[in-house]
Amino acid sequence: MDVISARTAPMPRVLWIELSSRCPFDCIFCTRASLRGAGEQLDFALYRRLIGELEGPQIIRLNYAGESGHYPQLAEAVALAAATGADVELVSALATLKPGRLQAALEAGLTRLTVSLHTLDAAEFDAIYRFSSLEAMHQRLQQVLEWRRHSSRRFMLDLAFVAMQRNLAQLPAIAAFAANHGIEVLAVHPL
């Protein structure tokens, strides 16, 4: 075996699969609209074929720039990914997701949900996300926390914070919020 093949696997072990490049939000830092316009949904037959060709994946992340939580076959996509034995992850702005769709994805085998939370101030939420509301975000997050408390199947819940000059003062409050709700990971992404 040569040195190159000893360092690489024949198939990817960590995958990012964007189920949807559509998103109802228009976050001020996001390049999704300029890169993908209105966006589109991944063809489910193509997704099924891709998942079927994987060999021993470790992590399958079902998003990139879009809001994959709105993908029509989200629970089915999670179940197919989970059947590979991989950890299945999703990042979401959360505020616009229908509770039933999210709960179905969790029950289908989602192992990690990362919530994009960049402020706890309602006016600043409007200015950053430019869609939905901080109240809607709180409601969905409270539902997820409740599901996590009562679920027989554990899943990781964490937060992602895009750090900008305009919201940096919010970081201590978001860290305290995470700690108060038993959310152990707060990833900070500088812009």
Side-chain angles (χ1 to χ4, degrees):
M1 182 184 299
D2 62 61
V3 174
I4 298 294
S5 62
R7 291 187 292 180
T8 60
M11 294 290 282
R13 299 283 187 239
V14 178
L15 293 96
W16 289 79
I17 302 172
E18 185 170 54
L19 296 175
S20 178
S21 57
R22 294 179 182 166
C23 185
F25 295 94
D26 186 23
C27 297
I28 59 171
F29 54 82
C30 186
T31 60
R32 180 201 52 77
S34 63
L35 295 174
R36 294 180 175 83
E40 58 187 286
Q41 309 286 20
L42 178 63
D43 177 74
F44 195 72
L46 174 61
Y47 174 78
R48 183 186 304 277
R49 193 172 82 228
L50 172 65
I51 294 297
E53 292 178 5
L54 296 176
E55 296 175 9
Q58 294 171 344
I59 300 172
I60 299 175
R61 294 183 175 113
L62 297 177
N63 61 277
Y64 181 66
E67 179 59 75
S68 289
H70 289 285
Y71 188 66
Q73 295 97 354
L74 178 62
E76 295 92 334
V78 169
L80 283 173
T84 69
D87 285 337
V88 183
E89 302 179 0
L90 179 70
V91 177
S92 176
L94 198 63
T96 62
L97 292 188
K98 296 192 181 325
R101 180 173 296 205
L102 181 56
Q103 188 170 17
L106 291 166
E107 291 170 359
L110 193 67
T111 55
R112 183 179 198 156
L113 174 63
T114 300
V115 177
S116 295
L117 183 59
H118 316 303
T119 184
L120 292 174
D121 177 87
E124 195 165 44
F125 184 97
D126 293 344
I128 291 173
Y129 292 86
R130 302 192 289 207
F131 190 74
S132 194
S133 68
L134 183 62
E135 181 181 341
M137 168 80 80
H138 271 292
Q139 288 174 351
R140 295 295 182 280
L141 191 51
Q142 291 305 319
Q143 289 169 330
V144 171
L145 289 164
E146 188 68 21
W147 293 333
R148 190 174 70 158
R149 272 192 291 279
H150 299 296
S151 176
S152 58
R153 197 188 59 70
R154 300 298 296 164
F155 61 92
M156 184 168 184
L157 174 64
D158 57 16
L159 300 178
F161 176 85
V162 173
M164 301 170 281
Q165 191 167 0
R166 72 183 305 150
N167 72 337
L168 201 52
Q170 286 286 310
L171 187 54
I174 290 177
F177 177 87
N180 290 340
H181 290 88
I183 301 171
E184 297 176 1
V185 175
L186 168 58
V188 178
H189 304 278
L191 189 60

